[in-house]
């Protein structure tokens, strides 16, 4: 399995260990800035010469990337190491949440990247690992794991997903619901589908719901995820039959910790779009091929999609699922999520 190498690299990065990423244009030995400490960084970079790789959007904030580069969140920027850039300064460079508390020093100088394809793969690896897209970069030394750009792409391949088990699960919306769990041999996140109603030849009402711990479990008022989840279950139950897909794509695909960093940036005045971009991620990093693969395994080829987001319709159809109808979810706002909903409407095209 190609995904095995990426899984090892992700584990190493989260532990603060060195990883080598290689592509057709060369390789880079990296260590996550947020995972490094004084001991591991000294071992990785004994001469204090390791440069710092960040996403283009972060480089733009640091006045190191032009507007064209900043428009592509996968385009990296390499910051030349200076004597005054220690671990604490590197973390301030990496994490935009710290900009107000720790004004950045400077000026910074950008350097050419010797292996841009490997650098892009490293940024994607950061998103998959749920860490900040910022690395110390050195050429020589040992690594705990080696991974190619192709292996990083393979880790994110939905075709490896399979049904692991299924069982009856009575829920408040339907006492006869069935839950189906899906697992990939490449990565640990498990997705589930909740099937409600009696299946017939008609297209089911389907909701693609991305995991939101703060909204679904803790009742956060900053978003509309929890109310949407429960409303969707009841709208599915009111139809002939349908499926709720619960996708482990927290924070639109950037992970829980990075989502909470985005929350902190929202507290500083940035909207949800700018917060994601400022962290160095795409506005929406979700992969709808996962949902399409789940539906395919359930024998579903066409759906009535329950969503306010036209991008979900386009993403699902691009992945091979026919959307016969888009059904809206209408919910009231509250004082805490009014701006969030306005941003979804005005900047990401949600039809609220």
């Amino acid at each position: 399995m190609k995904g095995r190498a990426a899984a090892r690299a992700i584990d190493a990065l989260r532990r603060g260990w060195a990883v080598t990423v290689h592509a057709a244009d060369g390789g880079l030995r990296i260590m996550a800035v947020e995972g490094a400490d004084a001991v591991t960084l000294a071992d990785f970079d004994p001469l204090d010469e390791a440069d710092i790789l960040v996403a283009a959007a972060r480089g733009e904030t640091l006045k190191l990337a032009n507007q064209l580069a900043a428009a592509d969140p996968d385009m990296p920027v390499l910051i030349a190491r200076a004597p005054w850039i220690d671990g604490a300064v590197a973390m301030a460079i990496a994490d935009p949440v710290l900009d107000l508390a720790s004004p950045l020093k400077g000026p910074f100088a950008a350097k050419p990247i010797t292996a841009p394809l490997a650098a892009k793969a490293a940024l994607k690896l950061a998103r998959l690992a749920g860490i900040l897209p910022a690395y110390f970069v050195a050429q020589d030394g040992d690594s705990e794991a080696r991974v190619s750009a192709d292996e990083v792409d393979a880790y994110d391949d939905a075709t490896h997903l399979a049904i692991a088990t299924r069982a009856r699960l009575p829920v408040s919306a339907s006492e006869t619901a069935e839950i189906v769990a899906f697992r990939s041999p490449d990565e640990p996140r498990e997705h589930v589908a909740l099937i409600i109603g009696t299946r017939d030849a008609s297209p089911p009402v389907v909701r693609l719901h991305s995991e939101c711990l703060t909204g679904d479990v803790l009742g956060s008022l900053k978003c509309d995820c929890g109310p949407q989840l429960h409303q969707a279950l009841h709208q599915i139950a009111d139809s002939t039959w349908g499926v709720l897909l619960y996708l482990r794509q927290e924070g639109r695909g950037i992970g829980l910790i990075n989502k909470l960093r985005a929350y902190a940036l929202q507290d500083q005045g940035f909207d949800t779009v700018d917060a994601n971009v400022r962290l160095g991620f795409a506005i929406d990093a979700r992969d709808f091929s996962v949902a399409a693969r789940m539906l395919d395994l359930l024998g579903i080829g066409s759906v009535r999609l329950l969503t306010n987001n036209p991008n979900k319709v386009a993403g699902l159809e691009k992945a091979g699922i026919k959307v016969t109808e888009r059904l809206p979810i209408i919910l009231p706002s509250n004082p805490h999520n009014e701006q969030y909903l306005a941003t979804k409407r005005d900047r990401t095209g949600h039809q609220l």
Side-chain angles (χ1 to χ4, degrees):
M1 290 288 183
K2 282 187 175 182
R4 184 177 299 175
R8 288 171 175 161
I10 288 168
D11 183 65
L13 289 173
R14 290 170 64 92
R15 294 174 186 270
W17 297 343
V19 169
T20 295
V21 181
H22 57 94
D25 58 356
L28 297 173
R29 180 169 166 263
I30 59 174
M31 174 180 283
V33 169
E34 71 171 288
D37 58 33
V39 175
T40 58
L41 182 56
D43 182 62
F44 176 81
D45 178 35
L47 300 179
D48 296 330
E49 294 178 344
D51 298 319
I52 299 173
L53 185 75
V54 296
R58 188 57 178 153
E60 174 66 17
T61 300
L62 302 175
K63 310 302 181 186
L64 290 172
N66 62 33
Q67 293 294 335
L68 182 61
D72 181 353
D74 293 328
M75 287 296 294
V77 174
L78 189 64
I79 301 174
R81 187 73 174 273
W84 49 268
I85 301 180
D86 58 11
V89 173
M91 190 59 191
I93 290 171
D95 189 353
V97 175
L98 303 177
D99 285 354
L100 295 182
S102 304
L104 296 172
K105 300 177 181 179
F108 300 106
K111 294 177 62 174
I113 298 174
T114 58
L117 294 178
K120 285 185 179 182
L123 292 184
K124 182 173 182 178
L125 203 58
R127 179 182 63 79
L128 294 172
I131 61 176
L132 288 167
Y135 298 104
F136 290 106
V137 179
Q139 299 299 325
D140 301 320
D142 297 329
S143 296
E144 289 292 332
R146 292 181 59 86
V147 63
S148 70
D150 287 343
E151 287 167 331
V152 174
D153 289 337
Y155 181 86
D156 221 12
D157 190 346
T159 60
H160 299 160
L161 206 64
I163 293 177
T165 192
R166 56 202 307 161
R168 189 178 69 86
L169 182 68
V171 296
S172 60
S174 172
E175 295 184 6
T176 60
E178 180 188 24
I179 190 167
V180 183
F182 301 79
R183 177 186 287 162
S184 169
D186 295 331
E187 54 128 337
R189 294 177 300 176
E190 290 139 348
H191 309 278
V192 298
L194 190 70
I195 303 173
I196 293 174
T198 301
R199 182 167 183 160
D200 62 15
S202 65
V205 173
V206 170
R207 168 68 181 171
L208 277 56
H209 189 89
S210 296
E211 175 185 34
C212 178
L213 174 69
T214 50
D216 299 342
V217 178
L218 302 179
S220 168
L221 298 176
K222 285 178 66 71
C223 65
D224 57 348
C225 300
Q228 278 198 341
L229 172 63
H230 296 289
Q231 175 70 13
L233 287 171
H234 286 286
Q235 286 188 232
I236 293 171
D238 289 340
S239 68
T240 302
W241 76 291
V243 183
L244 182 130
L245 302 183
Y246 196 83
L247 307 169
R248 305 295 299 280
Q249 299 176 338
E250 182 82 54
R252 299 196 192 107
I254 66 174
L256 176 62
I257 291 176
N258 283 324
K259 183 183 83 169
L260 297 182
R261 287 177 171 134
Y263 278 2
L265 288 171
Q266 290 169 34
D267 289 340
Q268 295 178 15
F270 298 96
D271 66 26
T272 183
V273 168
D274 288 335
N276 271 33
V277 172
R278 198 170 180 86
L279 284 167
F281 298 109
I283 295 170
D284 192 335
R286 287 176 293 185
D287 181 4
F288 296 114
S289 67
V290 172
R293 172 64 175 168
M294 293 167 71
L295 290 170
D296 184 59
L297 289 169
L298 293 173
I300 298 171
S302 61
V303 302
R304 302 168 66 203
L305 192 61
L306 194 55
T307 183
N308 298 326
N309 184 0
N311 289 333
K312 280 188 178 179
V313 176
L316 205 54
E317 289 195 320
K318 183 179 179 181
I321 300 297
K322 182 180 179 181
V323 179
T324 63
E325 184 181 5
R326 185 188 70 83
L327 303 172
I329 299 182
I330 308 300
L331 292 166
S333 62
N334 68 65
H336 300 279
N337 70 13
E338 285 177 342
Q339 183 179 356
Y340 167 80
L341 294 175
T343 299
K344 289 174 71 172
R345 180 194 66 219
D346 299 337
R347 300 197 65 187
T348 59
H350 284 63
Q351 298 177 1
L352 303 180

